[in-house]
Amino acid sequence: MANFSRLLNFSSSCSTLPCMAMAFFNPIHTANPAIAFTTLEMPTSEGISPFLSSFCSTLLLAASLLFILWKKRAKPLALPPGPNPWPIVGSLPGLLFTKKLAFRSIHKMMDDMNAEIICINLWGVHVIPVTSPQIAVDFLKRNDAVFSSRPDVLSADITSRGYLTTALTPGGEQWKKMKRVLASEVLSAQRHRWLQGKRTEEADHLIGFVYNQSMDSTTGGVVNVRVAAQHYCGNVIRKMVFGKRFFGNGRADGGPGVEEEEHVSALFKILAYLYSFCVSDYLPCLRRRLDLDGHEKIIRTATASVAKYQDPEIDERIRHWTEGTRTEQDDLLDILIGLKQKDGSPLLSPDEIKAQLVELMLATVDNPSNAVEWALAEMINQPTLLERATEELDRVVGRNRLVQESDLSQLNYVKSCVKESFRLHPIAPFNVPHISTADTTIAGYFIPKGSHVLLSRLGLGRNPRVWDEPLQFRPERHLKRDGSAVMLTDPDLKMLSFSIGRRGCPGVTLGSTLTTMLMARLLQGFSWELPPTMSKIELKESAKDLFLAEPLHAKARPRSFLSFLFQTHRIPPPLKMANPVKMGDS
Ligand code: HEM
């Protein structure tokens, strides 16, 4: 060590080094030493031959270069900046004992440090939040293989029944198997087409459900948009998976029955706690012993509620196939049960099917419903945006039929409204966590093996370095100058909708279809206004998450062509017509 530091002093202060370097690289010198010695006037002392002097210089130069190379290699890279950790516990107490939610504390730390990547040490686990698109791409594109696993946390372990699924399962054979099944059998383009009829049925039910409420004189036509949006998503995925929208009988007006209410509310409860900051995840000694923050109980209760409805359906269906009383495949459950290994035995166990179906439900209900609720709230406060979207629908689809999936690719303005909502109002502050499986360097920082990487959906989408007036809802920022199609994905991660890389969302087509269809049907079928008691929609985030603080309630007026479509049976009549109020038009 001492020798090297001496060399360091030498190399940094010795003014002869450039001269030696010149000598070393001088072609004349190397080609003809005799000439070089005379031209370069190298210092020679009496008794030392010019040849020896040149040899020593060369040796010294080589040693210096080697040292510089060694120094570059040996100098340990720094971790990203972050709060100073306490011994052993790191910054755990800071997150535990703050009144703020963990995600708000983390974003505040990043703002205070003016940093787009930081490292928070939580009892030895390095948690790395990121708000820079360039760095995010570095993680998920250039170093995708290293960051394609998930952390082992209690909420994911319970929800996935011991990691039998795709999204929540750390990398490995089980993840590969389940992802292959999803990509080729559940979410492929062909399967998407196969299930189109079921999705359209639900899009028609959505119109009926909202229409009934809009015509209800007792409520003045005010609709709870959150309920409509969440149940549309729940109905679609239940229909695609189980071939039915209701576990029980539903409601007379086409709305959810108690069973669906409990099902959807349990799904959202799981989503609220999945990967949320939980102290036992950082103190493995506490895991399954002390449920300090009560998360374990909440997740177990919610997963039991979901299982109560889904598992009997799955068991019964397996029995029907085994007994031969069902022979035709009609939905995704049939597909999963029917998958076989080479020897003819089932590819998936009943537990794998049960766990995977919970995950598919979770993946489907949250993003689309939240994006549409926020988008509509923003648009009601800016009626010109509503007008522009309606004008597009009238131009592309017309007024004698409802918008269909085949129209969606042409609805660039409607899609840009949805995309703007994904940017500004993501349902979750962070992407699903990624964990590193090896030491790596990202953006010049050392990222140790086992780090939890949290790409901030909030921070990316609202990054003022990337977006003009990031807090303004301005859908037109996503329109392309050449009029080409607006996609809801963003491969550059300037915003994080579906993410990218090995862990990227395999449900892009289904997710985009559901969200755009929900938005398009609500805008095409109804004119939306403030409820009579309000002067504007309060666009405030909830104190505990990123939902609108209060579910969006808005007055819906059916557009005139809608009743014509009902009367002429071009769309199925709503299940129950409420007492009609006078109908308006837009
Ligand atoms: C608008 C709707 C949707 C959005 C915005 C969305 C977004 C995402 C995001 C951000 C991830 C995490 C990517 C990562 O870890 O880097 C993800 C993963 C995933 N999504 Fe989606 N998703 C949507 C709809 C769906 C649907 C409808 C399904 C299937 C029914 C689905 C299935 C999955 C699965 C299985 C994963 C995990 C992939 C893996 O870990 O290998 N998603 N999605």
Side-chain angles (χ1 to χ4, degrees):
M1 204 54 206
N3 285 343
F4 286 127
S5 54
R6 237 183 298 139
L7 263 174
L8 183 75
N9 289 339
F10 167 76
S11 65
S12 55
S13 61
C14 178
S15 58
T16 56
L17 194 61
C19 159
M20 286 183 206
M22 273 171 62
F24 187 73
F25 291 111
N26 189 327
I28 301 171
H29 176 81
T30 47
N32 187 344
I35 299 172
F37 292 150
T38 49
T39 35
L40 282 174
E41 296 177 47
M42 294 292 282
T44 58
S45 55
E46 226 170 285
I48 301 179
S49 77
F51 174 76
L52 195 59
S53 159
S54 163
F55 177 74
C56 287
S57 313
T58 311
L59 207 63
L60 205 56
L61 178 69
S64 309
L65 286 175
L66 274 177
F67 170 70
I68 291 167
L69 285 178
W70 174 85
K71 227 181 103 203
K72 273 202 166 158
R73 268 191 62 229
K75 187 179 166 202
L77 283 171
L79 290 166
N84 283 335
W86 293 79
I88 304 176
V89 293
S91 301
L92 204 52
L95 285 188
L96 262 182
F97 300 117
T98 168
K99 283 194 185 139
K100 275 199 169 73
L101 293 172
F103 82 85
R104 296 222 189 266
S105 300
I106 292 174
H107 285 95
K108 168 109 182 24
M109 274 179 216
M110 299 183 86
D111 283 348
D112 292 348
M113 283 187 249
N114 194 20
E116 295 189 346
I117 176 169
I118 65 168
C119 175
I120 308 168
N121 179 333
L122 298 180
W123 203 297
V125 177
H126 297 95
V127 176
I128 316 245
V130 175
T131 58
S132 146
Q134 293 80 6
I135 300 178
V137 165
D138 216 356
F139 276 108
L140 293 199
K141 208 176 264 177
R142 283 184 276 279
N143 292 283
D144 185 27
V146 175
F147 291 99
S148 62
S149 194
R150 303 273 194 225
D152 171 21
V153 297
L154 195 63
S155 56
D157 187 2
I158 296 172
T159 307
S160 65
R161 301 191 191 201
Y163 300 122
L164 295 178
T165 61
T166 315
L168 311 179
T169 299
E173 288 313 308
Q174 182 66 15
W175 167 65
K176 282 189 196 151
K177 169 181 163 183
M178 299 310 279
K179 186 123 187 190
R180 221 176 293 128
V181 165
L182 286 192
S184 60
E185 302 293 342
V186 175
L187 299 166
S188 66
Q190 187 201 5
R191 193 67 69 207
H192 189 71
R193 283 193 295 278
W194 186 62
L195 292 163
Q196 182 179 338
K198 294 189 190 302
R199 290 192 300 275
T200 305
E201 241 178 80
E202 283 315 312
D204 290 347
H205 281 304
L206 168 75
I207 290 287
F209 179 51
V210 176
Y211 181 80
N212 274 338
Q213 294 172 74
S214 70
M215 301 296 286
D216 187 344
S217 50
T218 58
T219 59
V222 171
V223 175
N224 182 332
V225 176
R226 182 172 300 175
V227 168
Q230 291 187 348
H231 282 283
Y232 163 73
C233 297
N235 292 347
V236 173
I237 190 67
R238 276 193 297 268
K239 186 69 132 297
M240 287 171 55
V241 168
F242 297 114
K244 59 183 185 185
R245 59 202 306 242
F246 295 139
F247 288 122
N249 296 322
R251 263 193 351 230
D253 67 350
V258 281
E259 297 85 355
E260 292 70 52
E261 275 173 0
E262 186 182 345
H263 187 234
V264 167
S265 124
L267 292 173
F268 276 93
K269 184 64 88 184
I270 298 173
L271 285 163
Y273 285 87
L274 203 49
Y275 293 116
S276 71
F277 175 67
C278 171
V279 69
S280 334
D281 290 333
Y282 301 95
L283 303 171
C285 55
L286 295 184
R287 186 130 165 205
R288 298 192 186 284
R289 294 205 185 116
L290 278 178
D291 184 14
L292 279 183
D293 39 22
H295 286 200
E296 181 174 354
K297 184 164 179 241
I298 294 170
I299 286 268
R300 285 195 190 284
T301 310
T303 46
S305 283
V306 174
K308 178 174 82 181
Y309 292 112
Q310 297 192 182
D311 289 5
E313 298 279 341
I314 298 165
D315 289 332
E316 194 189 341
R317 188 76 68 84
I318 292 174
R319 192 168 50 77
H320 281 307
W321 278 102
T322 316
E323 291 170 355
T325 46
R326 190 169 175 108
T327 50
E328 293 240 336
Q329 292 186 323
D330 181 56
D331 53 33
L332 289 175
L333 181 52
D334 290 329
I335 300 296
L336 293 180
I337 294 171
L339 296 176
K340 298 279 185 265
Q341 307 194 69
K342 280 195 191 113
D343 64 3
S345 60
L347 177 67
L348 302 179
S349 69
D351 272 353
E352 284 175 322
I353 296 177
K354 287 172 185 169
Q356 185 57 67
L357 288 183
V358 173
E359 202 180 84
L360 288 190
M361 298 280 158
L362 292 170
T364 309
V365 292
D366 59 349
N367 282 288
S369 57
N370 180 65
V372 170
E373 185 187 356
W374 268 107
L376 197 55
E378 293 268 10
M379 291 165 85
I380 290 172
N381 279 0
Q382 298 185 62
T384 48
L385 307 188
L386 281 177
E387 276 162 31
R388 189 163 172 190
T390 316
E391 182 277 317
E392 178 180 73
L393 282 155
D394 286 348
R395 181 167 38 81
V396 172
V397 185
R399 285 176 168 225
N400 58 4
R401 65 179 178 87
L402 286 175
V403 51
Q404 300 298 315
E405 288 190 2
S406 53
D407 299 310
L408 300 183
S409 64
Q410 296 174 69
L411 297 175
N412 282 328
Y413 190 73
V414 173
K415 280 188 282 178
S416 64
C417 295
V418 168
K419 189 166 185 176
E420 182 66 343
S421 197
F422 280 147
R423 178 191 72 79
L424 184 55
H425 300 298
I427 187 155
F430 295 110
N431 188 22
V432 188
H434 289 233
I435 191 170
S436 56
T437 50
D439 291 348
T440 324
T441 305
I442 299 278
Y445 293 115
F446 175 58
I447 310 294
K449 179 179 175 181
S451 299
H452 293 197
V453 177
L454 300 178
L455 302 187
S456 166
R457 295 178 76 172
L458 208 54
L460 290 166
R462 296 180 186 181
N463 187 329
R465 196 170 55 73
V466 177
W467 299 99
D468 254 6
E469 297 188 288
L471 299 184
Q472 297 301 311
F473 186 85
R474 288 198 348 226
E476 55 291 350
R477 66 172 97 226
H478 303 291
L479 292 172
K480 305 274 175 58
R481 284 216 180 100
D482 62 1
S484 57
V486 171
M487 308 301 288
L488 302 185
T489 48
D490 183 353
D492 300 326
L493 296 183
K494 289 185 184 134
M495 53 176 277
L496 198 146
S497 50
F498 293 93
S499 192
I500 57 171
R502 284 173 174 70
R503 283 287 178 162
C505 177
V508 173
T509 309
L510 177 58
S512 302
T513 306
L514 271 183
T515 319
T516 314
M517 185 59 126
L518 175 58
M519 183 92 248
R521 284 275 171 122
L522 291 181
L523 292 171
Q524 189 202 17
F526 307 91
S527 304
W528 293 92
E529 293 166 16
L530 292 162
T533 51
M534 292 174 83
S535 60
K536 71 177 175 69
I537 305 286
E538 173 121 49
L539 298 169
K540 206 173 102 192
E541 278 166 9
S542 144
K544 55 184 199 314
D545 50 41
L546 297 178
F547 281 93
L548 254 178
E550 293 299 326
L552 174 64
H553 283 82
K555 183 171 166 58
R557 282 181 201 278
R559 298 182 69 216
S560 58
F561 76 103
L562 203 57
S563 41
F564 171 73
L565 295 185
F566 282 133
Q567 279 155 19
T568 54
H569 294 278
R570 293 193 196 183
I571 49 175
L575 291 179
K576 184 201 94 181
M577 298 288 282
N579 293 336
V581 290
K582 192 170 176 294
M583 208 186 326
D585 192 13
S586 65

